[in-house]
Amino acid sequence: SASQFLSSLGVVPIGFLAHLWSPVSAPLACAHDATAMEKGTQIWLRDPDGPEAWLPGEVVSKSKSSSAGKGWQDVLVQLDNGETSTVPCELGHSEAEDLKLRNPEDSDLVEDLIDLPFLHEPAILHTLFSRFRQGLIYTFTGPILLAVNPYRSLPVYSDEILQEYYNAGLLRSQGMADLSEKVSPHVFAVADSAYRSMMDVMYKKVSGLKRNQAVLISGESGAGKT
């Protein structure tokens, strides 16, 4: 699982916080891309018995499957640790259950997971871990904020940082900010958005928006919800 994988890397469980959560669609790998498994394609291979859950590697070759039957191919991959493995993959498909496409390295630190070219379990885990190593414990996935508890103090809750998010929220609420510029992931951003939405409903009496407000906070014990 995601929590087990992050724990094996010295990262504690994940919690998430969302203001007025709603389902978010995200870009996924094309299910029928015949060129996706060509030689040199960067991939993630599931490691069901290992501590890391998914291992990085690349495609070495592909051939007609001698075991899976008609309509399938065998994809030979070489992992970064030097090991090789053969994975059956349906012809014309870019992924298999145990084989996923890897994102380019320049997307390792994206602030919002929906900006990833390929959004799946290993991509999410890799991005969260890459950001965590840089001291970036917060990551957006649409309106949801993922938080990885570092179990140590970080200089991310100062009055100056709080003021930055307050000012950004104020400008956006007055239509004076560039809406294309997203604020960096932070619990202050979610809190500001929730507060301003509540005040809009209470005082501006916007038609059709009179509804209950909610902030959902979820996570395992020790995930950092408090």
Side-chain angles (χ1 to χ4, degrees):
S1 70
S3 295
Q4 291 172 330
F5 172 62
L6 291 172
S7 295
S8 74
L9 298 174
V11 183
V12 300
I14 305 171
F16 75 81
L17 184 155
H19 169 235
L20 298 178
W21 180 86
S22 60
V24 177
S25 61
L28 298 175
C30 178
H32 297 278
D33 185 351
T35 65
M37 287 299 167
E38 294 297 334
K39 180 179 180 180
T41 300
Q42 302 294 298
I43 54 87
W44 291 103
L45 178 66
R46 188 188 301 275
D47 183 25
D49 301 320
E52 296 189 11
W54 295 88
L55 299 173
E58 69 175 46
V59 174
V60 175
S61 64
K62 61 180 182 180
S63 59
K64 290 184 179 180
S65 178
S66 58
S67 58
K70 185 177 180 180
W72 289 77
Q73 61 185 348
D74 288 334
V75 179
L76 177 64
V77 301
Q78 181 170 22
L79 302 176
D80 288 2
N81 62 15
E83 297 179 2
T84 59
S85 180
T86 299
V87 183
C89 185
E90 195 170 357
L91 283 171
H93 284 238
S94 63
E95 293 187 342
E97 182 178 353
D98 296 331
L99 193 65
K100 302 295 182 183
L101 297 176
R102 189 151 39 126
N103 289 306
E105 291 184 2
D106 59 7
S107 63
D108 283 354
L109 299 177
V110 295
E111 295 187 333
D112 194 328
L113 294 177
I114 66 174
D115 291 332
L116 290 172
F118 306 114
L119 184 58
H120 42 52
E121 181 180 308
I124 292 172
L125 295 174
H126 179 68
T127 299
L128 292 178
F129 181 56
S130 297
R131 289 179 58 79
F132 180 86
R133 287 189 297 184
Q134 299 294 323
L136 303 171
I137 63 171
Y138 292 120
T139 306
F140 280 132
T141 177
I144 302 172
L145 180 70
L146 297 174
V148 182
N149 190 343
Y151 275 128
R152 61 188 177 94
S153 296
L154 293 175
V156 295
Y157 306 109
S158 66
D159 291 341
E160 290 77 13
I161 293 177
L162 175 61
Q163 191 65 42
E164 288 180 13
Y165 282 88
Y166 171 80
N167 292 340
L170 181 61
L171 290 175
R172 292 174 70 86
S173 68
Q174 296 178 347
M176 299 172 62
D178 184 352
L179 297 181
S180 65
E181 295 183 2
K182 298 180 180 179
V183 295
S184 296
H186 201 291
V187 66
F188 290 163
V190 176
D192 182 86
S193 176
Y195 175 77
R196 294 187 189 283
S197 294
M198 179 181 67
M199 299 304 288
D200 283 346
V201 172
M202 290 179 61
Y203 294 107
K204 292 185 179 180
K205 302 184 185 302
V206 180
S207 176
L209 289 181
K210 292 184 178 181
R211 60 177 183 263
N212 293 333
Q213 302 289 305
V215 174
L216 172 65
I217 304 175
S218 177
E220 297 181 7
S221 177
K225 298 184 294 298
T226 303

